Amino acid sequence: MDSRKTGRPTCFLCLQCGVQFAAAATPPQHCPICEDERQYVRWEGQAWSTPQELAAGHRVVMKDDAGVLAFGIEPRFAIGQRALLAQTPHGNVLWDCISMVSDKAVAEINRRGGLAAIAISHCHYYSAMVEWSEAFGGVPIYLHADDRKWIMRPHSAVVSWQGETRALNPSLTLIRCGGHFAGGQVLHWKRDGGDAILAGDILQVTPTRRHVSFMYSYPNYIPLNAAKVLRIASALEPFAFDHIYGAWWNQNVIGDAKTGFARSVARYLAAIA
């Protein structure tokens, strides 16, 4: 039953960004993530959903996305990103997150070896990260410490790591790129079939699917400055990668991605010079 009718605490979801807040009997007054200049509040005003309301009208879908199992919500909810399962011999990691969990999704991940951790590029995709963690026994959620202020549902599973890189296992390494957010991170994945960068929209895959671009705010069209783009390039330089997986379905650079990334940096810098 809807907690707004019973008065019982629930973890409300922002209808615009899909991020879940700490349990309360009534919805929060504001969503700091949407009020930040990189996002926006709905024209109709701030609004909220509950996990029960979301489940009543939406479902979790699982699809193969260029060889990687991905999870999304249909009909589209909030920002509309999808999550990816990075499967490795050393344990599986859920990259980025969505705003609802389903028994079928949990069962499929368990069939593939379970989940060792969650890692998320930046706060726009924090969504229902705590519910996903708890569905797998409280696995750690790796977020960069520079983005700690954007955690709207604090939890003991959250690991606020510091520094420039963090190895999650021998196949997976988090890289702090900054840019879109100070703690914006990507995940480097050593794997058969070509190493990959799971990028969220820290690197925004363009419609050509051969390039990426960079923004401080995507919906508000605020570009990223040259120094921050060069910092992203420097952070990724030590890593080999053949593919880049973006934030949305089928938005990936498959093959020759590091060359495409270098071309993208040069093109972007020339355009803003």
Side-chain angles (χ1 to χ4, degrees), residues 151-252:
I151 298 171
M152 297 296 114
R153 186 181 174 186
H155 193 273
S156 59
V158 173
V159 178
S160 293
W161 69 278
Q162 297 178 315
E164 303 307 315
T165 61
R166 172 72 179 254
L168 301 183
N169 66 37
S171 300
L172 297 170
T173 300
L174 288 169
I175 307 164
R176 185 182 80 89
C177 288
H180 185 37
F181 275 80
Q185 59 184 10
V186 302
L187 185 64
H188 182 262
W189 182 5
K190 294 180 181 178
R191 60 171 194 160
D192 295 337
D195 294 353
I197 293 288
L198 309 189
D201 59 7
I202 304 302
L203 316 178
Q204 177 73 284
V205 176
T206 69
T208 68
R209 295 190 291 186
R210 304 307 307 159
H211 299 85
V212 299
S213 195
F214 315 91
M215 292 288 273
Y216 176 74
S217 169
Y218 291 98
N220 297 318
Y221 309 112
I222 306 173
L224 202 59
N225 66 43
K228 290 183 177 179
V229 172
L230 288 170
R231 195 214 175 280
I232 293 173
S234 177
L236 294 182
E237 178 55 35
F239 295 88
F241 53 94
D242 304 288
H243 315 301
I244 298 171
Y245 287 81
W248 289 276
W249 298 109
N250 303 311
Q251 195 162 322
N252 315 303

Side-chain angles (χ1 to χ4, degrees), residues 116-181:
I118 298 167
I120 304 176
S121 57
H122 69 295
C123 65
H124 289 155
Y125 306 151
Y126 286 176
S127 57
M129 62 182 182
V130 171
E131 289 192 4
W132 279 92
S133 170
E134 290 179 343
F136 293 94
V139 298
I141 305 166
Y142 289 92
L143 312 175
H144 198 276
D146 285 355
D147 284 352
R148 189 183 288 117
K149 66 177 284 188
W150 302 109
I151 298 171
M152 297 296 114
R153 186 181 174 186
H155 193 273
S156 59
V158 173
V159 178
S160 293
W161 69 278
Q162 297 178 315
E164 303 307 315
T165 61
R166 172 72 179 254
L168 301 183
N169 66 37
S171 300
L172 297 170
T173 300
L174 288 169
I175 307 164
R176 185 182 80 89
C177 288
H180 185 37
F181 275 80

Side-chain angles (χ1 to χ4, degrees), residues 4-24:
R4 281 177 279 200
K5 297 176 181 178
T6 65
R8 296 172 184 167
T10 193
C11 294
F12 288 94
L13 293 153
C14 173
L15 203 61
Q16 182 59 48
C17 71
V19 170
Q20 194 173 58
F21 282 60

Side-chain angles (χ1 to χ4, degrees), residues 67-106:
V68 180
L69 181 64
F71 305 86
I73 297 177
E74 290 184 353
R76 177 182 169 125
F77 177 71
I79 293 174
Q81 77 278 3
R82 54 101 174 92
L84 296 166
L85 185 66
Q87 296 180 240
T88 84
H90 319 286
N92 300 333
V93 171
L94 185 68
W95 172 251
D96 281 341
C97 205
I98 57 175
S99 298
M100 61 185 295
V101 186
S102 73
D103 292 341
K104 286 184 178 180
V106 171

